[in-house]
Amino acid sequence: MKGATILGKDRAPVLATQGLTRHFGGLTAVNDVSIELMMGTIHAVIGPNGAGKSTLMNLLSGDLFPSAGHIHLEGDAITHCTPPQRSLRGLGRSYQKTNVFLPLTVFENARLAAQSRAGSSLRFFRPVLHEATINERAQLAIDAAGLGARSDRVVATLSHGEQRQVEIAMALATAPRVLLLDEPLAGMGAEESSAIVQLLARLRESHAILLVEHDMDAVFSLADTLTVMVNGTVLESGPPAFIRSSAAVQAAYLGGDENMHA
Amino acid sequence: MELATFLIQLLNSVQYGLLLFLISSGLTLVFGIMGIINVAHGSFYMLGAYLAWSLTQSFGNFWLALLLAVPITVLLALTLEWLVIRYLYTRDLLYQVLLTYGLILMFEEIRSILWGDDVRGVSIPAALDASIRLTDTLSYPVYRLAISGLCLLVAASMYGLIQKTRIGMTIRAGSVNREMVQSLGIDVTMLYRLVFALGVTLAALAGMIAAPVSSVFPGMGNQVLIVCFVVVVIGGMGSVKGALIASLLIGLVDTFGKVLHVEVAGVHLLPELASMSVYLLMAAILLWRPEGLFGKRG
Amino acid sequence: MPPSHSAPGRTAARVMLQIALLLALACLPWFAEKYYVQFVARILIMGILAMSLDLLLGYTGLVSFGHAAFYGVAAYSLAMLTPAYQAAWFWTSFPLAVLGAAAAGLAIGFFVVRTHGIYFIMVTLAFAQMLFFLFHDTRIAGGNDGIYIDVRPDTTILGWKPFDLERYDQVYLLVLVLFALVWMFLRILLRSRFGHVLVGIRVNEHRMRSLGFETFRYKLACFTIAAALAGIAGYLSALQFGVVNPEFMGWHQSAAVMMMVILGGMGTLIGPVLGASAWMLLELGFQSLPVAGSIDLGKHWQLWMGAFIVLTALLLPSGLLGAWSALWRRLHHQTPALDADDPVAKP
């Protein structure tokens, strides 16, 4: 099934980086990383803590600027675009550390996300409550993320796992073509986790997804391509079967690290 | 402008700049290490000046007044920290601004009750009451040079304190990472108390030594406070080096803004708009580097 | 509570209550003396100013310490638009004054909204101080002494004079009408897309940016709108006092408004108005303290005000409204709801 989806899609990468590098003082957190992300696929980035996965995410979303290298989104250079510009070009992201509007309700969170796609918000008079398109889009995203029953709850009162779902709902409400998901399963129970895995499998159809995740079962069941990062550099990249059998990966990583079997 | 006049103005601007540095370094240290914005910082400058005046009146000796005023200020700072400031460490910026603003109102009124609302003068101490002749008509007062010298001395000892001593090490660590200092097992309460007292004493000391040249008047603290804000915005919050450079820069702009005559299309720009010039400088820096010259970049 | 959750009956009751209050206030000139009418007018003017600051402080999270600048710009605009010994025309001077304040807000905002947190506080104060010096040190508008408005604006349109601003009671009614309009405007604004974006920026600006909002644009618009509303208050103040001086834009004025907002409760519309009332009453109360021994307690009213501010900052972090709702919850043995602790939570 995976193969079929890939073959059916355009072969030009939606998101691509060339030689992406970021230094922090003397430390090189991301070193010469070139990856490609195809429409209709899930590309997982794995690696031990401190491998530079989160820095890579931040470089892609524009939260950090690279010291060297380029980023292209659908063929356009976005290396110097700000986070809002990237978002409007179709790049959606969720954060590793839950980054939502805690004092607002689930619905209000999703609605703000949906509102960002409805043209300028320099509109001062019409109540948002009457903006049908925005409200519908927010509700769809909430339902898709499996939070339908929690719509009116204040996010701060939700469980950690549910707050992660709010993250995903918000990313979805911006109708992105590329999804950058930073550890979406972190801190989730088994049930919530499998619901999100199913959701990601569904989203694959119409999105290009870059997934950073520590849950190896989820990663190997979802990913079409895997990139293994160690100390800021790409160690190996390829289909799951290739990564599983790679001697370099075995030696450096899959063998010993407790993290990977969490 | 003649060379001698230029030299005089240059010395004036350096003296003003160094005095500003003395005050603003306290402000920036307290913020950098304790995370506290002390709007009442300027009140201590005023307090120092009034103490210098009042004690010189009582004892007839400026140096003795200085010697007594410094411990009084330290004691006051420690008391204030214990009474109110320590409750601000975990509070939002907004409440820090409000509370310390409330303190300003109280200080101003207490000043008015104790010392009245008249402008006072402190005479220059006899040993330094002389001038250096530059030309037949121009001379430069020794006391102003002494102010610069004293400020440099304080700046140098602060550098020594921060770079060379154990407590300085703690301060440096604290300005980089507050949690780290706590985890190192250093008594943070004591550190904060000391830093606050240090910052406040620097401002008061500046007020004391400035008193003979600037006169002593109500509201003098607020005037200086806002200029110090500009210094800190330009230099970068928490950076002592930035405060030094920004202070000297403002000293130059302010001093020369007041003596230069600039006219564009028949409209006098300088010296009429001299008091605005430092703010315009700030605006320009903000466009270029919103976090200040030596501020941490996000 | 978002409007979707309150019963239509309750909303209607609330609107009725507001209209009744407004009508009651409108009747004041018929049974109160001039002094009290003017005092209430000052409270309402400060209420407008405090609401405009709350748009920045409570809704958007921008702690402006220089808001009086815009109040002052509009006040000076009226003074400078008024020819010597003649009246300015209300219908041009009012919009021009408000536009002037908005333009100053746009210009200053362009610089200040780039900064965050502590820088924002210091930079807003510094720019306000720059304007203060502009009027204080130059002779463009009377310098330090200020400038008098000899004749109050004329409202005649084609020979018809709808109201007479030389009469204190009609000034009061104009203030009341504008107060109600500003209130309604803010209510509508806060429910709009724009209002929701402002709350989003306060709660989590970083996330707003990653959702695709260029927050600079919205913060600048908000700063400009708040400046324009402060301008309405400034115009009315100049109109009522008949004199404008640099203290209008001084930092004590900025701090006083900030105090009103916090005292009442940030992030609500009624809070700043309550805060303005409480502040004005306190000021009056402290000023009328007697002489005790050798110290004139009333003359040193700022000492008590200062002490009051210190105590408020220490003890009442969520303002009068917050304290009231905490007390109410305790009396009714309710567990604190999360959103009630943060009155700003809901737009």
Side-chain angles (χ1 to χ4, degrees), chain B residues 11-44:
Chain B
L11 285 171
N12 277 343
S13 51
V14 169
Q15 179 251 305
Y16 178 52
L18 285 172
L19 200 66
L20 272 182
F21 168 67
L22 212 55
I23 313 164
S24 50
S25 61
L27 189 69
T28 211
L29 266 180
V30 167
F31 182 80
I33 293 158
M34 302 159 65
I36 294 277
I37 172 70
N38 178 17
V39 177
H41 196 69
S43 297
F44 293 97

Side-chain angles (χ1 to χ4, degrees), chain A residues 121-157:
Chain A
S121 280
L122 287 173
R123 298 198 184 170
F124 305 106
F125 298 107
R126 188 167 175 215
V128 175
L129 207 64
H130 298 167
E131 303 240 27
T133 348
I134 294 177
N135 291 304
E136 278 160 24
R137 177 177 270 183
Q139 196 59 55
L140 282 174
I142 291 171
D143 294 340
L147 279 170
R150 292 277 182 273
S151 210
D152 290 330
R153 287 277 296 274
V154 171
V155 175
T157 65

Side-chain angles (χ1 to χ4, degrees), chain B:
Chain B
M1 193 181 285
E2 280 177 49
L3 184 66
T5 329
F6 176 77
L7 188 69
I8 287 176
Q9 296 306 339
L10 192 66
L11 285 171
N12 277 343
S13 51
V14 169
Q15 179 251 305
Y16 178 52
L18 285 172
L19 200 66
L20 272 182
F21 168 67
L22 212 55
I23 313 164
S24 50
S25 61
L27 189 69
T28 211
L29 266 180
V30 167
F31 182 80
I33 293 158
M34 302 159 65
I36 294 277
I37 172 70
N38 178 17
V39 177
H41 196 69
S43 297
F44 293 97
Y45 174 77
M46 174 185 77
L47 180 80
Y50 271 92
L51 276 176
W53 171 74
S54 164
L55 294 170
T56 311
Q57 290 284 306
S58 314
F59 297 100
N61 185 318
F62 179 74
W63 302 113
L64 186 62
L66 218 63
L67 213 62
L68 286 169
V70 169
I72 292 178
T73 323
V74 173
L75 271 179
L76 190 84
L78 291 175
T79 316
L80 203 66
E81 197 275 345
W82 178 74
L83 268 178
V84 285
I85 303 292
R86 65 188 170 124
Y87 296 106
L88 288 178
Y89 298 145
T90 53
R91 300 290 293 277
D92 194 64
L93 278 177
L94 185 58
Y95 295 97
Q96 301 180 0
V97 169
L98 263 179
L99 189 144
T100 50
Y101 175 76
L103 290 179
I104 293 181
L105 293 186
M106 295 180 74
F107 281 133
E108 280 290 338
E109 292 305 315
I110 291 168
R111 186 263 313 139
S112 166
I113 292 169
L114 288 179
W115 292 307
D117 295 330
D118 298 326
V119 177
R120 312 286 189 178
V122 177
S123 47
I124 294 173
L128 297 174
D129 194 5
S131 295
I132 297 167
R133 274 185 60 155
L134 295 172
T135 65
D136 289 342
T137 49
L138 294 170
S139 60
Y140 198 76
V142 172
Y143 187 73
R144 280 182 180 268
L145 288 178
I147 292 182
S148 299
L150 194 65
C151 289
L152 283 174
L153 194 71
V154 174
S157 21
M158 255 175 60
Y159 179 82
L161 176 84
I162 292 177
Q163 295 294 331
K164 309 282 181 210
T165 65
R166 201 182 133 67
I167 206 160
M169 212 181 70
T170 329
I171 289 178
R172 266 184 297 153
S175 68
V176 177
N177 189 336
R178 252 177 281 165
E179 288 77 30
M180 191 178 85
V181 175
Q182 262 153 331
S183 66
L184 283 176
I186 289 158
D187 186 349
V188 182
T189 323
M190 203 35 106
L191 176 71
Y192 282 8
R193 202 158 284 166
L194 281 177
V195 169
F196 186 74
L198 175 70
V200 159
T201 309
L202 285 173
L205 186 66
M208 292 169 208
I209 60 176
V213 290
S214 78
S215 77
V216 180
F217 56 95
M220 65 189 290
N222 300 339
Q223 220 174 34
V224 106
L225 172 82
I226 295 165
V227 181
C228 283
F229 277 179
V230 176
V231 166
V232 170
V233 169
I234 292 179
M237 195 89 215
S239 162
V240 176
K241 183 168 71 173
L244 178 63
I245 287 168
S247 297
L248 291 172
L249 203 60
I250 284 182
L252 280 172
V253 168
D254 188 75
T255 310
F256 282 95
K258 279 177 183 146
V259 294
L260 289 176
H261 289 267
V262 176
E263 214 182 286
V264 173
V267 181
H268 287 276
L269 291 182
L270 287 175
E272 275 74 6
L273 295 177
S275 43
M276 288 177 70
S277 55
V278 292
Y279 301 103
L280 294 174
L281 176 69
M282 178 186 77
I285 301 262
L286 274 180
L287 279 184
W288 177 40
R289 285 187 71 110
E291 63 292 293
L293 295 178
F294 294 92
K296 288 172 201 156
R297 203 154 239 207

Side-chain angles (χ1 to χ4, degrees), chain A residues 35-37 41-47 53 56-57 181 209-213 215-216 218-220 222-229 236-238 240 243:
Chain A
I35 55 169
E36 289 188 342
L37 190 56
T41 66
I42 295 180
H43 186 144
V45 178
I46 60 172
K53 306 183 300 285
L56 176 65
M57 277 293 194
L181 303 177
I209 301 177
L210 190 73
L211 176 70
V212 167
E213 184 52 57
D215 181 336
M216 282 305 119
V219 165
F220 278 95
L222 281 169
D224 303 290
T225 312
L226 273 151
T227 292
V228 183
M229 281 180 76
E236 200 82 87
S237 193
I243 293 297

Side-chain angles (χ1 to χ4, degrees), chain C residues 271-284:
Chain C
V273 180
L274 288 177
S277 320
W279 179 268
M280 302 287 285
L281 288 169
L282 275 173
E283 199 177 273
L284 194 68

Side-chain angles (χ1 to χ4, degrees), chain B residues 27 37 226 228-230 232-233 237 282, chain C residues 63 65 117-127:
Chain B
L27 189 69
I37 172 70
I226 295 165
C228 283
F229 277 179
V230 176
V232 170
V233 169
M237 195 89 215
M282 178 186 77
Chain C
V63 183
F65 203 175
I118 189 79
Y119 283 94
F120 189 83
I121 297 176
M122 293 195 293
V123 169
T124 45
L125 174 61
F127 275 110

